[in-house]
Amino acid sequence: MNSPTLLRRDGVALVLAAAEAGLPPVLHWGRDLGPLDAAGIAALEAATARQTRPGTLDAAWRVPLVPQDSDGWAGRPALLATRDGRPLFPRWDATVERTGDAAVAITATDAEAGLTLRTRLEIGAGGLVLLDHELTNDGGDRVEVAWLEAVLPVAKSADHLTAFSGRWAREKAPLTAPMPRGATVRESRRGRGGHDAPWVTFASAGLPRNRTGEVWAVHLGWSADVRHRTDRLTEHGTALGAGELVRPGEIRLAAGESYRTPTAYFSYADNGLDGVADRFHTWMRSRPQHPKTARPLVLNTWEAVYFDHDQARLERLARRAAEVGVERFVLDDGWFHLRRNDKAGLGDWVVDPAVWPEGLEPLAELVRSLGMQFGLWFEPEMVNLDSDVARAHPDWVLANPASVPSPEGLSFRTQYVLDLANPDAFEHLRSQMSTLVERLGIAFIKWDHNRDLVEAVHDGAPGTHAQTLAAYRLIDRLKADHPGLEIESCSSGGARTDLGVLQRTDRVWASDSNDPVERQDIQRWTELVLPPEMIGAHVGPSPAHSSGRATPLPYRIATSLQGSAGFEWDLLSCNEEETAQITEFASLYKELRGLLHTGSVVHPDTIDPALRVRGVVAADRSEAVFTVATVASLEEALPERLLLDGLDPARHYKVNVRSEIGEARWGWTTPPWLAGEPLTVPGAVLTGIGLQLPGLWPVQAVLIHLTAV
């Protein structure tokens, strides 16, 4: 029998009960309970024991680490597997071994079933819980795994559930509803996350709020098909979890083979959604591969030139970019063989001599001579049938042969998927990309992925799992071969922003929408998991190409400052006033990014649905920047006061409205803190009483910079 185990770190505790047989159940996951000894854990178990009710099973009323039928679990089993078509119901013999102050490795075997299950459970930096499993076939006949999922319990007081959906240019749209009864599943079946991906599922005690209340959240670090699950059952503890969605026949284990699940990340907080985000951000920033250098101001050329590549024009654009303060110049789609539109060329990663007769070397050299990094766009996992590689190797297309070409229109932008699990296709792609990175001195790759995987067949079996792992290997190989190379994950915008791909890449393109009104919410919910330095947020032209909405430049600038900033704009088209304003913006970004990309992100709770308020507070609370923006007209003539959460009530702060984003325009009178010289205000007033907001117009933003005095 294993002893009970207590894991504690950064305000979070997880307690595993002793188990005479089977996997240990989880007694508690949530608020830190202090340094409990064996007697304290025994008291916890006794204090939380259930009363057995008539008509209920005696087993598994707590949530085991892998709840299943053989535990008497009435919800969705966390493991479903068969051997030679026969169901497996493991009776585990488990050992728990500490592997760190807040980590354990659990090894469970069932000799009769011929299975070994290895579980890693860790509380990482910031209190983020990491959980994954590995299942090994120790028997003779093949084992087919239908699913293997990560599950943790949440309190019965978690009576609301929030899930995410969305669409292109409107990613990460949350929907909150009462916690559903029974076992429920939310799936994504696009072969990538998708714009409507579950992203995060969180349970809350009452309606979720930004700064208060208990929240339990799960995110799966996997860049393809996923399932998020909840189980609220009458005789069991409530469970929250996630796992990879695999197709029938996709995971088949011969003797000695193993299947390792993607890591599930669980975040608990008793101070609302900002507490959940802070755990993710702290853990992300603690990783050795997390970007350590200042995030450069970027110009990406897509909305500047689209497919209309002209060397002289792009050189002029590079010079203008350097003049206003850009630090990274990225050449987007259109530079390679046959690529005059989106119907040809994918898969042939060679420079088109018809457009670039001297190659890309002159542009790359100019960019570097101007003090900027040179970046290049690729869509490595895709292929057009009108390409040399597809003509030479039609068997490298990852698809049902009956759908290539597809009379039903199942291609997207006339592109298909290149089978990276095919070693020859993998090496072809790696070699072409690596050659260009080396020859051109590429510092940054914008890595795009513009379509779903449909009927993804590899060697006669479902191939999404193998394709995803191959894409990971390719990214890993390129970064190993070219130290310092940075990669952005773009997938028609924000359709692949999970922590699986972010373990390898350096930022994401949050959305193809540069409409700053839409971006207010897209970026807010992206940073529920990702720290702002990893979220690409660019100033685009007005009107926005994705919505047709016209917005003032100050508003676009304020929205861009909430992430890793840049431009998606033909700066040559800017007039003198706009050029002066974006030059000031570049200087402001460089001044503030040390704070914006290291501080704690806060979202003060507001009443007016038109308000979007976001702040970043330094770790020592000596400085903060808050953005106040509107997405519509305010409901009341006298707006609410703005509570500046996160500041030190014992200090005084100088309140300064930064005019670099553009001149303010007020609907009525101007509050004193917005007029004249910066105002010094006690922190207790700012956090307890707040600043009276002005009568902001629709689609208006104010940038407030606070410094302790």
Side-chain angles (χ1 to χ4, degrees):
M1 174 172 159
N2 290 299
S3 301
T5 304
L6 169 64
L7 306 179
R8 300 172 59 222
R9 186 172 182 181
D10 293 345
V12 170
L14 194 150
V15 184
L16 298 176
E20 295 185 5
L23 291 168
V26 180
L27 282 179
H28 169 76
W29 162 52
R31 183 182 291 113
D32 191 2
L33 304 174
L36 296 177
D37 57 13
I41 295 176
L44 166 67
E45 186 163 15
T48 58
R50 74 167 184 174
Q51 175 189 8
T52 302
R53 303 283 299 177
T56 61
L57 291 169
D58 291 332
W61 61 275
R62 298 194 193 272
V63 181
L65 274 173
V66 183
Q68 52 195 19
D69 288 0
S70 51
D71 296 308
W73 173 254
R76 174 183 171 83
L79 168 64
L80 186 63
T82 58
R83 186 187 297 279
D84 196 24
R86 299 186 303 276
L88 292 168
F89 301 111
R91 265 65 176 173
W92 300 114
D93 181 14
T95 60
V96 180
E97 177 187 1
R98 278 195 177 269
T99 56
D101 292 340
V104 294
I106 302 163
T107 302
T109 59
D110 184 335
E112 185 173 339
L115 297 174
T116 296
L117 178 71
R118 295 177 178 85
T119 297
R120 177 182 67 118
L121 181 59
E122 172 189 355
I123 303 180
L128 191 69
V129 176
L130 285 66
L131 177 57
D132 53 55
H133 304 292
E134 183 180 63
L135 184 69
T136 301
N137 177 13
D138 299 322
D141 296 332
R142 192 177 299 271
V143 169
E144 181 170 334
V145 181
W147 66 74
L148 176 55
E149 297 167 346
V151 178
L152 285 180
V154 302
K156 286 275 191 178
S157 59
D159 58 355
H160 282 76
L161 189 73
T162 301
F164 284 83
S165 185
R167 62 168 176 81
W168 177 78
R170 202 174 184 276
E171 295 89 337
K172 297 177 177 63
L175 176 65
T176 299
M179 176 71 76
R181 267 46 176 180
T184 60
V185 173
R186 170 80 195 285
E187 296 183 345
S188 173
R189 290 177 170 266
R190 297 183 179 275
R192 54 175 175 167
H195 299 95
D196 59 346
W199 178 235
V200 180
T201 298
F202 58 86
S204 57
L207 290 171
R209 293 182 62 79
N210 291 330
R211 304 293 297 167
T212 59
E214 286 194 293
V215 183
W216 298 259
V218 64
H219 168 85
L220 191 70
W222 183 242
S223 306
D225 300 332
V226 302
R227 285 191 178 103
H228 285 215
R229 51 172 290 168
T230 58
D231 298 83
R232 181 159 188 177
L233 306 165
T234 179
E235 71 267 47
H236 302 298
T238 301
L240 177 70
E244 179 187 4
L245 185 157
V246 299
R247 310 301 174 99
E250 191 161 17
I251 304 296
R252 291 178 173 172
L253 305 178
E257 291 183 338
S258 300
Y259 165 63
R260 188 173 188 83
T261 68
T263 299
Y265 301 85
F266 293 86
S267 183
Y268 164 81
D270 58 6
N271 56 341
L273 296 173
D274 282 352
V276 165
D278 190 61
R279 299 201 188 284
F280 277 109
H281 295 182
T282 301
W283 182 81
M284 292 287 283
R285 288 169 171 167
S286 74
R287 304 169 305 149
Q289 75 269 35
H290 192 74
K292 298 299 190 295
T293 58
R295 297 295 79 203
L297 186 69
V298 177
L299 171 69
N300 189 73
T301 66
W302 177 242
E303 290 188 44
V305 300
Y306 295 100
F307 290 113
D308 186 16
H309 282 209
D310 174 80
Q311 182 173 337
R313 180 183 177 192
L314 282 159
E315 287 178 350
R316 290 196 303 273
L317 181 60
R319 289 189 177 93
R320 176 62 58 83
E323 288 169 3
V324 303
V326 167
E327 298 163 302
R328 175 182 284 165
F329 184 91
V330 183
L331 185 64
D332 209 288
D333 195 358
W335 56 267
F336 49 96
H337 181 47
L338 300 178
R339 194 65 167 179
R340 306 283 59 79
N341 53 47
D342 60 8
K343 295 179 169 55
L346 288 177
D348 295 340
W349 301 108
V350 293
V351 179
D352 193 337
V355 179
W356 297 94
E358 300 176 78
L360 290 178
E361 283 84 353
L363 178 64
E365 291 168 6
L366 173 65
V367 165
R368 283 191 294 274
S369 74
L370 293 168
M372 299 183 292
Q373 299 175 1
F374 181 66
L376 196 60
W377 180 95
F378 290 88
E379 193 168 3
E381 296 149 87
M382 300 296 148
V383 64
N384 290 125
L385 298 186
D386 186 4
S387 66
D388 291 344
V389 68
R391 281 185 285 270
H393 302 284
D395 55 312
W396 288 4
V397 177
L398 182 67
N400 177 356
S403 293
V404 183
S406 170
E408 294 84 14
L410 290 180
S411 69
F412 175 79
R413 298 175 75 193
T414 68
Q415 66 188 59
Y416 293 83
V417 182
L418 188 69
D419 187 358
L420 297 189
N422 181 311
D424 294 332
F426 182 98
E427 178 55 27
H428 162 83
L429 182 56
R430 184 211 63 79
S431 176
Q432 285 195 320
M433 294 182 71
S434 188
T435 296
L436 285 167
V437 172
E438 185 71 30
R439 193 173 77 217
L440 298 174
I442 294 171
F444 175 84
I445 289 175
K446 179 178 178 180
W447 186 300
D448 216 338
H449 184 293
N450 274 312
R451 65 154 288 165
D452 296 346
L453 275 59
V454 178
E455 297 182 316
V457 179
H458 171 76
D459 284 348
T464 298
H465 177 82
Q467 175 77 3
T468 305
L469 293 179
Y472 288 168
R473 287 196 303 274
L474 180 58
I475 296 171
D476 292 342
R477 175 68 183 276
L478 288 169
K479 297 199 83 171
D481 290 347
H482 305 282
L485 176 68
E486 292 197 2
I487 296 177
E488 174 183 71
S489 174
C490 175
S491 186
S492 311
R496 187 162 70 174
T497 58
D498 62 277
L499 294 191
V501 76
L502 262 297
Q503 287 299 88
R504 297 159 170 86
T505 55
D506 302 280
R507 76 171 209 166
V508 302
W509 183 230
S511 178
D512 280 346
S513 174
N514 263 340
D515 180 333
V517 176
E518 300 291 344
R519 275 277 185 154
Q520 287 289 329
D521 288 342
I522 291 169
Q523 292 173 186
R524 185 268 175 275
W525 294 113
T526 302
E527 71 181 7
L528 184 63
V529 172
L530 305 185
E533 63 269 24
M534 304 193 81
I535 303 172
H538 292 182
V539 176
S542 180
H545 81 134
S546 57
S547 68
R549 182 174 7 224
T551 53
L553 181 54
Y555 191 88
R556 286 176 273 149
I557 287 173
T559 304
S560 177
L561 283 169
Q562 296 175 12
S564 182
F567 299 99
E568 200 84 11
W569 194 4
D570 180 6
L571 301 185
L572 297 170
S573 69
C574 295
N575 60 33
E576 186 175 336
E577 180 183 354
E578 290 171 329
T579 300
Q581 200 165 341
I582 62 177
T583 303
E584 283 195 317
F585 156 57
S587 296
L588 181 64
Y589 173 67
K590 293 170 188 178
E591 175 194 341
L592 296 179
R593 63 186 167 190
L595 166 63
L596 296 174
H597 296 165
T598 61
S600 296
V601 179
V602 298
H603 298 87
D605 285 296
T606 56
I607 302 300
D608 197 312
L611 274 175
R612 300 292 184 271
V613 181
R614 174 192 182 272
V616 181
V617 181
D620 63 1
R621 299 195 287 180
S622 64
E623 187 180 12
V625 172
F626 281 81
T627 305
V628 181
T630 56
V631 296
S633 59
L634 296 176
E635 285 195 337
E636 298 187 8
L638 176 62
E640 62 200 85
R641 292 178 185 148
L642 171 63
L643 296 176
L644 298 177
D645 293 328
L647 300 180
D648 185 349
R651 285 175 158 173
H652 285 65
Y653 289 87
K654 183 171 70 174
V655 181
N656 183 20
V657 176
R658 299 303 297 254
S659 61
E660 290 93 336
I661 71 168
E663 280 194 30
R665 53 188 176 90
W666 315 116
W668 291 279
T669 57
T670 303
W673 64 271
L674 281 166
E677 293 298 317
L679 183 69
T680 298
V681 184
V685 172
L686 296 172
T687 59
I689 304 298
L691 292 173
Q692 178 59 57
L693 287 175
L696 296 169
W697 294 105
V699 191
Q700 186 177 2
V702 179
L703 190 71
I704 307 168
H705 188 193
L706 301 109
T707 51
V709 295

